[in-house]
Amino acid sequence: MSISALLSMGRYCCRCCCSRGLWMLSAPCCDDRRMCVCPGPRRIGIPVRSSSLPLFSDAMPAPTQLFFPLIRNCELSRIYGTACYCHHKHLCCSSPYISQSRLRYTPHPAYATFCRPKENWWQYTQGRRYASTPQKFYLTPPQVNSILKANEYSFKVPEFDGKNVSSILGFDSNQLPANAPIEDRRSAATCLQTRGMLLGVFDGHAGCACSQAVSERLFYYIAVSLLPHETLLEIENAVESGRALLPILQWHKHPNDYFSKEASKLYFNSLRTYWQELIDLNTGESTDIDVKEALINAFKRLDNDISLEAQVGDPNSFLNYLVLRVAFSGATACVAHVDGVDLHVANTGDSRAMLGVQEEDGSWSAVTLSNDHNAQNERELERLKLEHPKNEAKSVVKQDRLLGLLMPFRAFGDVKFKWSIDLQKRVIESGPDQLNDNEYTKFIPPNYHTPPYLTAEPEVTYHRLRPQDKFLVLATDGLWETMHRQDVVRIVGEYLTGMHHQQPIAVGGYKVTLGQMHGLLTERRAKMSSVFEDQNAATHLIRHAVGNNEFGTVDHERLSKMLSLPEELARMYRDDITIIVVQFNSHVVGAYQNQES
């Protein structure tokens, strides 16, 4: 069947990613296939993925199903690269399989532009005919493992670090990209001048600039906030005299975890200003550090510095553009500070922290240690409405988004939702040409009357560890959108203990014959020997998040399909996934309890 014949089957518009020259047919979303209204920059109108959506090779409508081998072989790029052109560099149409309510950033009319066919374009579609049978393409198990393990990292905490016996045995972390480049970041570090360990996941949007900066800088702000007055004075005196500084953090990084060397001096100067202010505010009296207050102050101060650096600018053109990119993009953050049996979680946005608890009967239960800051949180909705005049009650949150655009209600950066209109115009006009040419930076959100509408202030939760608290999962929303929290805790718990409790096979509303049931049982028994083949708990969890089928088991065929999707399509089915699994030392936690009882 030719492409022209496929086009005649219905009205189809293009889903384009012009920067890569890839054009493909999507599904009906325009009344006239000759004109496609495409939502603007990649920050707005990004489709959110769902594990429940059909995969191309088995459940998509016939036209798209036929094009899957063409996408894989890059044939459509050759044909439609000459057939169409686009007025905007970063356009992408939303998928018909994903409703407006599932878009992380909803399109706005200010971004609309058109993709028009060239004159006599029909002749370009007649030159080649294609087979109507889709090509099967599966990754082998070694190829799947190579993709899943590319970003995994593990760290075992020394049993005795010279100060105290650690309540953490170690942690595993991993990332699986959906965006290119990945917008998630992760960080883990040991506090050297105080007790405790910091771990965090950061989910960027409108690019990775803000999440990158926050992943590099936030832990230093937290560590400085926790330092006693004497240590701050010692560090400041060392800087003044040119002596070597006391190390504050010991980072635990994967080789792929990038740190910006170009901005290190700028970041250090801002951090030094912060600890100088802490020295001036502190009278030197020996008082206990309030961890909750320190976490809140660190989050708010870093966000303030990100905003201030963008307003001041930098003589270096590269750094000037960098700080503006950081400020105009955004990031959520979920950070845990573990010190003995004291666990604090500071959360800004919609990433989550989940505690895995093993009950006396060996079963697993999940304890949520953070709240999502979005429209599903009634308290957040009420907070936003109370911070603005009553005449804005209906416009502050529209279609479950902040000002109808942004899904998280708390985030770093995103100065489009924090600065006044005059300040935005002044910074953009005096900024580099790259910023001035960006359509998004010129756009003022609708009903923008009483900024700021967005805050980076975290919500801090405290939990005192118990022997039955076995592990902590920190993950960006890419995981929680694909898996229920109870399944996450059960899968990790079984992995860490090496005990797999067989659940009855649930078939839901599916009609399963006796032969099919026998096949399922045989397949499950065959997989039992390789259930714990992963050496990293986060990798094991990602394998389930991406590859689980309707029966709750990892399906290699499904996993292969999901991992082999082109990067232009992967974002339609899921988000970036970043996970840190922290395993606690139950014996040490129990010893702490015995000492205090």
Side-chain angles (χ1 to χ4, degrees):
M1 183 181 293
S2 66
I3 292 180
S4 58
L6 290 173
L7 283 170
S8 65
M9 296 176 63
R11 300 188 185 94
Y12 288 85
C13 73
C14 59
R15 183 183 190 277
C16 55
C17 185
C18 303
S19 62
R20 296 185 62 85
L22 177 65
W23 295 79
M24 76 172 193
L25 295 187
S26 183
C29 66
C30 302
D31 291 333
D32 187 346
R33 68 170 177 264
R34 293 170 300 175
M35 184 172 292
C36 168
V37 181
C38 300
R42 192 173 292 273
R43 180 187 187 285
I44 310 254
I46 298 177
V48 171
R49 55 283 135 214
S50 171
S51 61
S52 62
L53 294 174
L55 291 178
F56 284 98
S57 60
D58 50 18
M60 297 285 278
T64 310
Q65 186 179 16
L66 296 179
F67 284 135
F68 184 71
L70 307 186
I71 296 167
R72 176 61 56 193
N73 296 330
C74 298
E75 293 288 353
L76 290 183
S77 176
R78 185 183 67 78
I79 294 176
Y80 277 83
T82 57
C84 300
Y85 69 98
C86 187
H87 292 299
H88 201 287
K89 188 176 181 181
H90 301 293
L91 300 178
C92 49
C93 277
S94 57
S95 168
Y97 304 102
I98 303 164
S99 66
Q100 279 289 92
S101 63
R102 293 188 61 79
L103 297 179
R104 186 173 177 84
Y105 302 100
T106 189
H108 188 271
Y111 293 101
T113 187
F114 302 103
C115 302
R116 305 185 187 88
K118 288 183 178 179
E119 295 180 3
N120 303 323
W121 71 274
W122 200 260
Q123 61 181 317
Y124 294 104
T125 69
Q126 302 298 320
R128 184 187 293 263
R129 293 182 181 275
Y130 298 94
S132 60
T133 303
Q135 300 174 6
K136 293 290 184 180
F137 179 82
Y138 296 126
L139 299 173
T140 64
Q143 288 173 325
V144 167
N145 287 337
S146 178
I147 294 173
L148 292 179
K149 296 175 183 290
N151 297 308
E152 70 177 7
Y153 178 81
S154 296
F155 179 76
K156 301 302 178 185
V157 176
E159 185 175 353
F160 185 72
D161 62 5
K163 293 183 179 179
N164 61 303
V165 179
S166 177
S167 58
I168 296 178
L169 286 173
F171 69 87
D172 294 334
S173 71
N174 201 352
Q175 294 183 297
L176 183 66
N179 294 290
I182 185 172
E183 295 180 341
D184 281 5
R185 292 296 186 270
R186 59 183 168 178
S187 292
T190 301
C191 299
L192 297 177
Q193 301 304 319
T194 59
R195 301 194 315 172
M197 179 176 283
L198 288 165
L199 308 106
V201 293
F202 312 93
D203 189 351
H205 45 262
C208 59
C210 190
S211 58
Q212 176 63 45
V214 174
S215 70
E216 294 182 40
R217 306 177 66 180
L218 181 57
F219 284 9
Y220 281 112
Y221 280 73
I222 295 174
V224 165
S225 301
L226 293 171
L227 289 176
H229 183 258
E230 297 78 10
T231 306
L232 289 174
L233 281 175
E234 188 175 348
I235 293 175
E236 175 61 21
N237 292 334
V239 175
E240 283 287 343
S241 60
R243 292 184 284 110
L245 289 176
L246 290 171
I248 298 176
L249 295 173
Q250 177 190 352
W251 290 95
H252 310 298
K253 299 189 298 180
H254 187 279
N256 292 346
D257 294 341
Y258 167 76
F259 268 45
S260 173
K261 295 181 181 178
E262 298 84 358
S264 58
K265 184 177 180 180
L266 172 67
Y267 292 168
F268 176 81
N269 289 337
S270 295
L271 180 66
R272 184 185 179 188
T273 302
Y274 178 45
W275 80 54
Q276 287 174 338
E277 292 180 10
L278 290 177
I279 291 174
D280 293 339
L281 291 172
N282 196 322
T283 60
E285 298 177 1
S286 58
T287 56
D288 293 333
I289 301 294
D290 187 328
V291 177
K292 179 178 179 179
E293 183 180 354
L295 289 167
I296 293 174
N297 291 340
F299 272 63
K300 293 169 65 176
R301 179 54 183 249
L302 174 56
D303 189 57
N304 181 74
D305 284 352
I306 288 173
S307 176
L308 186 61
E309 290 161 1
Q311 294 175 47
V312 174
D314 194 281
N316 182 309
S317 59
F318 172 81
L319 286 179
N320 190 36
Y321 185 48
L322 174 64
V323 297
L324 289 168
R325 283 178 54 215
V326 170
F328 277 93
S329 60
T332 66
C334 186
V335 173
H337 178 265
V338 185
D339 180 7
V341 293
D342 297 321
L343 169 60
H344 288 83
V345 173
N347 183 55
T348 290
D350 50 10
S351 295
R352 291 183 194 170
M354 199 71 60
L355 192 67
V357 180
Q358 189 170 32
E359 306 296 346
E360 293 182 359
D361 61 357
S363 63
W364 294 94
S365 61
V367 177
T368 305
L369 296 180
S370 63
N371 296 310
D372 294 351
H373 299 133
N374 54 29
Q376 280 64 55
N377 187 334
E378 292 293 336
R379 292 175 59 188
E380 275 296 286
L381 282 171
E382 189 65 23
R383 177 187 66 83
L384 269 174
K385 292 178 180 179
L386 289 175
E387 291 178 353
H388 299 277
K390 290 185 178 180
N391 60 358
E392 293 187 55
K394 294 183 179 180
S395 62
V396 171
V397 177
K398 295 186 66 175
Q399 297 179 332
D400 289 344
R401 293 167 177 81
L402 183 65
L403 298 180
L405 294 173
L406 191 64
M407 286 193 73
F409 292 171
R410 303 192 193 194
F412 286 91
D414 280 324
V415 294
K416 296 293 295 182
F417 298 87
K418 297 174 180 176
W419 288 355
S420 67
I421 295 177
D422 290 339
L423 178 57
Q424 292 186 40
K425 291 180 178 178
R426 179 176 64 81
V427 171
I428 293 169
E429 290 172 359
S430 61
D433 293 338
Q434 301 100 311
L435 185 73
N436 199 37
D437 292 340
N438 190 316
E439 292 290 335
Y440 167 66
T441 58
K442 297 178 181 179
F443 170 67
I444 303 298
N447 302 303
Y448 197 78
H449 305 300
T450 55
Y453 289 90
L454 192 66
T455 179
E457 181 175 342
E459 187 174 6
V460 180
T461 305
Y462 172 76
H463 178 80
R464 184 173 181 80
L465 292 175
R466 307 159 298 172
Q468 60 266 38
D469 300 330
K470 301 300 182 182
F471 59 88
L472 174 72
V473 178
L474 301 171
T476 54
D477 65 333
L479 173 68
W480 309 111
E481 288 175 353
T482 60
M483 296 188 73
H484 189 272
R485 62 176 189 168
Q486 190 61 44
D487 293 330
V488 168
V489 167
R490 177 184 57 80
I491 289 169
V492 174
E494 291 175 354
Y495 171 86
L496 293 177
T497 59
M499 296 175 59
H500 183 69
H501 297 278
Q502 290 283 21
Q503 301 292 329
I505 290 183
V507 296
Y510 296 90
K511 294 182 179 180
V512 180
T513 65
L514 186 61
Q516 290 172 328
M517 180 62 73
H518 175 73
L520 288 171
L521 292 171
T522 303
E523 181 183 4
R524 183 165 77 168
R525 184 167 56 184
K527 290 180 178 179
M528 279 303 298
S529 59
S530 60
V531 166
F532 302 120
E533 62 182 7
D534 294 313
Q535 303 300 310
N536 182 295
T539 304
H540 188 69
L541 193 50
I542 290 176
R543 187 184 300 275
H544 280 266
V546 178
N548 265 9
N549 59 19
E550 60 270 26
F551 302 112
T553 61
V554 176
D555 185 332
H556 173 74
E557 183 177 327
R558 177 181 178 84
L559 188 59
S560 174
K561 292 175 184 177
M562 293 294 286
L563 295 181
S564 60
L565 286 173
E567 60 189 38
E568 290 85 1
L569 305 181
R571 190 58 174 81
M572 295 169 60
Y573 288 86
R574 60 175 179 83
D575 195 359
D576 299 326
I577 299 176
T578 298
I579 302 171
I580 299 177
V581 178
V582 186
Q583 188 175 3
F584 297 121
N585 190 329
S586 299
H587 300 293
V588 172
V589 172
Y592 271 104
Q593 282 193 339
N594 294 334
Q595 289 176 359
E596 297 179 0
S597 59

